[in-house]
């Protein structure tokens, strides 16, 4: 009997060791990327706008007690000219939305993005920080993947959704939908592909050649981050000259991406539409981090980056004053 118990214990230890090795290879092991071509910096002039603030709207989290914790949800920008919601997390109907996919696709979606299903519908979370979802001026998506666009299904169908032509065309691609990255019903909340609501001007901003100034006052600037998806974008939120956030969606998994110029984890590389372009963006972010160390670069799922910018935690707001 003792011999059997020892064998069982050894088998369990072997399984734990194999699982740890697999987790390291699939998630923690990152490939260092070569340096990208250096870019000139267009230094912005930033003013502190009274009444401007940014709020952390967390709808889900996982492994929250560890340094590699993940988060999902939105950043709410409260602006005197009308509020902006950046990303929306997953739909509260996530399980139903993925239920019709073939088993392998369903399992992937359930195991990855499915771990960040909303703990409460997005409108309920917004109301906890005093935001009326019906009064949002805009919603902007860093990209159209289901765990960033799904929360639109829970919001009142009022606020325009800001998306580029490239991203709208990508969302409408049947092959993209078949892989589970875009949910067909979500597209009903997007503008028509022929009428994009986000366009860039050839105006350099920081290390980017194009930009869009949403409020025309320098407070919220959008730049292209093409690679993870064809129309991925990053959003600068300038609360003051010294308190700035750069929300980069899934351009990097977490802070290691831009701090170490490291590619995505093996388990998440499959979600990049163009890996070569995506890796170039990692290099661009790493360069920006080096040139502007005071800028808070916030990956969509990097909970540690959120905690640094929002020291009071989820459902808190930060202003420039």
């Amino acid at each position: 009997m003792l011999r059997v118990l020892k064998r069982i214990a050894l088998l369990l230890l072997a399984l734990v060791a194999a699982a740890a090795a697999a987790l390291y290879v699939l998630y923690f092991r990152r490939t260092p990327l070569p340096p990208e071509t250096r870019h000139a910096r267009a230094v912005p002039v930033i003013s502190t706008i009274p009444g401007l603030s940014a709020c952390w709207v967390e709808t889900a989290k996982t492994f929250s007690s560890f340094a590699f914790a993940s988060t999902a949800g939105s950043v709410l920008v409260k602006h005197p000219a009308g509020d902006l919601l950046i990303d929306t997390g997953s739909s509260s109907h996530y399980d139903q939305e993925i239920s019709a996919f073939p088993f392998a696709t369903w399992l992937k979606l359930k195991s990855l993005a499915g771990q960040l299903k909303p703990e409460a519908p997005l409108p309920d979370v917004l109301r906890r920080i005093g935001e009326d979802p019906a009064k949002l001026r805009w919603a902007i998506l860093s990209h159209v993947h289901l765990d960033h666009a799904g929360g639109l299904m829970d919001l009142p169908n009022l606020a325009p959704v800001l998306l580029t032509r490239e991203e709208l065309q990508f969302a409408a691609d049947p092959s993209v939908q078949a892989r589970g990255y875009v949910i067909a019903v979500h597209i009903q909340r997007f503008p028509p592909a022929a009428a994009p609501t986000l366009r860039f001007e050839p105006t350099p901003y920081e290390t980017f050649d194009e930009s869009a100034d949403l409020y025309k006052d320098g407070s919220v600037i959008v730049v292209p981050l093409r690679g993870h998806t064809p129309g991925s974008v990053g959003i600068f939120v300038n609360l003051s000259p010294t308190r700035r956030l750069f929300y980069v969606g899934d351009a990097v998994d977490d802070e290691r991406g831009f701090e170490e110029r490291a590619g995505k984890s093996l388990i998440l590389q499959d979600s990049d539409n163009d890996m070569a372009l995506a890796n170039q963006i990692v290099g661009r972010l790493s360069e920006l981090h080096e040139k502007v160390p005071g800028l808070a670069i916030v990956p969509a799922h990097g909970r540690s980056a959120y905690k640094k910018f929002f020291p009071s935690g989820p459902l808190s707001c930060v202003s420039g004053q």
Side-chain angles (χ1 to χ4, degrees):
M1 183 64 179
L2 183 59
R3 184 179 298 175
V4 172
L5 291 175
K6 286 182 177 179
R7 288 179 178 176
I8 292 174
L10 288 173
L11 178 60
L12 289 174
L13 285 173
L15 289 174
V16 169
L23 184 61
Y24 171 77
V25 171
L26 291 174
Y27 184 76
F28 290 105
R29 183 177 179 273
R30 310 284 175 86
T31 303
L33 299 174
E36 291 293 329
T37 303
R38 304 290 287 183
H39 298 80
R41 182 186 175 210
V43 181
V45 176
I46 298 167
S47 302
T48 301
I49 298 174
L52 180 67
S53 64
C55 308
W56 179 7
V57 185
E58 184 175 64
T59 57
K61 61 183 182 294
T62 186
F63 299 114
S64 58
S65 299
F66 298 90
F68 54 88
S70 291
T71 185
S74 310
V75 171
L76 174 70
V77 179
K78 294 187 175 184
H79 192 287
D83 296 348
L84 169 72
L85 191 65
I86 302 173
D87 274 351
T88 65
S90 292
S91 165
S92 61
H93 307 288
Y94 184 88
D95 285 337
Q96 297 95 305
E97 290 175 347
I98 68 171
S99 62
F101 284 105
F103 177 76
T105 303
W106 172 87
L107 183 62
K108 176 185 68 176
L109 297 174
K110 184 74 172 178
S111 303
L112 297 176
Q115 299 305 305
L116 290 169
K117 293 184 301 182
E119 297 168 7
L122 179 57
D124 293 351
V125 183
L126 287 171
R127 292 186 186 100
R128 292 176 194 169
I129 55 172
E131 181 69 21
D132 182 350
K135 293 184 179 179
L136 289 168
R137 177 172 177 175
W138 293 307
I140 186 170
L141 302 181
S142 63
H143 60 293
V144 292
H145 282 173
L146 74 169
D147 57 327
H148 296 258
L152 291 172
M153 306 306 295
D154 295 317
L155 290 172
N157 191 12
L158 296 172
V161 181
L162 305 182
L163 288 166
T164 64
R165 185 184 304 275
E166 298 158 294
E167 195 69 355
L168 291 167
Q169 291 172 341
F170 172 76
D173 186 337
S175 67
V176 173
Q177 296 177 26
R179 296 175 70 190
Y181 294 128
V182 175
I183 302 296
V185 70
H186 294 176
I187 298 175
Q188 298 174 13
R189 301 299 301 271
F190 299 167
T197 46
L198 180 62
R199 298 175 179 84
F200 294 112
E201 301 291 337
T203 305
Y205 189 86
E206 291 291 0
T207 56
F208 300 92
D209 299 326
E210 303 171 89
S211 63
D213 186 342
L214 290 191
Y215 290 95
K216 309 303 181 187
D217 60 6
S219 62
V220 179
I221 308 294
V222 186
V223 296
L225 296 180
R226 304 178 183 101
H228 181 58
T229 64
S232 284
V233 300
I235 301 100
F236 289 88
V237 180
N238 300 313
L239 300 176
S240 76
T242 58
R243 185 168 288 177
R244 305 175 62 206
L245 176 153
F246 184 29
Y247 182 89
V248 298
D250 286 354
V252 289
D253 294 348
D254 50 32
E255 292 165 292
R256 285 182 60 194
F258 60 83
E259 290 177 347
E260 302 174 15
R261 202 174 65 245
K264 282 197 172 73
S265 58
L266 184 62
I267 199 171
L268 295 176
Q269 285 178 5
D270 178 63
S271 66
D272 282 339
N273 181 69
D274 185 322
M275 189 176 297
L277 269 180
N279 286 342
Q280 288 178 22
I281 290 297
V282 174
R284 182 77 64 94
L285 296 180
S286 181
E287 178 191 7
L288 182 63
H289 176 61
E290 176 188 325
K291 288 182 173 180
V292 195
L295 173 67
I297 299 177
V298 178
H301 301 300
R303 199 167 194 268
S304 63
Y306 280 87
K307 289 171 69 176
K308 290 174 184 175
F309 193 79
F310 298 96
S312 296
L315 303 184
S316 67
C317 300
V318 174
S319 72
Q321 298 176 310

